[in-house]
Amino acid sequence: IVTISGASGSGKTTIEKILLKRLVNAEVVVSVTTRDKRDTDNQNEYKYVSKLWFRVLDKSGAFLWTGNIHGNRYGTLKSSVKKALKKYDEVSLMILVPDRVKNLWDYAREKDLEELVISFYILSPSPEILRKRLEARGDSELEITKRIKDCEKWDAEALASDLPYIFIRNDDRVENAVEGI
């Protein structure tokens, strides 16, 4: 499992999309979310469900973890992670927030499979570049302001964390970040 983390607008989805095209043996570990589909989402990246259905899945114990990000619920099914960890000949890509990277590493260590996880953190671009990316994505001014502050916080926390991240910067050409991974 290759995890890609980073704050909003750091290029995670674009990087994942390019990796999926380049790596013939790569697929996405599907997450479940209550947020609306975006045109920029990768195919099969999310299963979009209602808040009610998300609660049903959560109460049934189907998720390995859940989270609330920017007012939307996200979760990863236990069955999806177990399946990915059994595919030794394929690359399974996951876009995860830092807390979930820790959960994945804890789970992999518990199963003695940590050698099957590699985690990359995409450092945020400058606030000017980030603003342009978020505007192009269609985010509102209020969302953009909040996300820029969140980016600074997330980057600082990632740099200070004890997670085994490989740090990549995506300031100019996304190809450089992809090559880094």
Side-chain angles (χ1 to χ4, degrees):
I1 296 177
V2 174
T3 71
I4 302 171
S5 297
S8 296
S10 62
K12 301 178 298 290
T13 302
T14 302
I15 290 167
E16 182 183 67
K17 195 174 289 187
I18 294 169
L19 288 170
L20 286 168
K21 285 180 184 173
R22 284 198 186 170
L23 303 171
V24 294
N25 63 339
E27 64 179 31
V28 174
V29 176
V30 179
S31 293
V32 178
T33 185
T34 60
R35 80 159 167 77
D36 292 334
K37 183 174 179 18
R38 294 184 191 132
D39 291 340
T40 56
D41 289 344
N42 289 326
Q43 186 176 8
N44 301 323
E45 181 178 5
Y46 294 107
K47 179 172 175 58
Y48 303 92
V49 300
S50 68
K51 290 180 181 180
L52 175 61
W53 187 241
F54 192 96
R55 281 195 304 270
V56 168
L57 288 170
D58 197 14
K59 287 187 186 244
S60 75
F63 292 118
L64 186 55
W65 57 70
T66 62
N68 188 0
I69 304 164
H70 305 300
N72 296 298
R73 301 285 297 162
Y74 291 81
T76 300
L77 297 169
K78 291 176 190 174
S79 59
S80 296
V81 173
K82 286 178 185 177
K83 180 180 164 188
L85 287 171
K86 289 181 182 176
K87 292 184 175 183
Y88 296 104
D89 59 342
E90 294 182 16
V91 176
S92 298
L93 299 169
M94 298 182 80
I95 295 177
L96 295 175
V97 296
D99 287 349
R100 300 307 153 240
V101 173
K102 180 179 180 346
N103 292 141
L104 177 61
W105 275 91
D106 290 346
Y107 181 77
R109 284 183 185 116
E110 176 185 305
K111 303 290 183 192
D112 199 27
L113 296 171
E114 65 267 24
E115 72 278 359
L116 298 177
V117 180
I118 301 170
S119 295
F120 292 92
Y121 187 93
I122 311 303
L123 292 164
S124 298
S126 69
E128 296 79 26
I129 292 172
L130 185 57
R131 176 171 291 284
K132 286 180 186 175
R133 288 181 186 171
L134 295 173
E135 285 171 351
R137 194 167 82 175
D139 289 2
S140 71
E141 183 58 37
L142 182 63
E143 288 173 321
I144 290 169
T145 301
K146 181 184 183 326
R147 288 178 190 240
I148 288 173
K149 284 186 185 270
D150 288 348
C151 288
E152 293 167 354
K153 179 180 174 247
W154 281 25
D155 286 355
E157 288 174 356
L159 288 164
S161 84
D162 60 352
L163 288 170
Y165 281 128
I166 299 168
F167 290 95
I168 304 287
R169 187 163 296 280
N170 183 18
D171 268 334
D172 50 3
R173 292 185 55 243
V174 71
E175 279 299 315
N176 293 340
V178 171
E179 287 301 318
I181 292 174

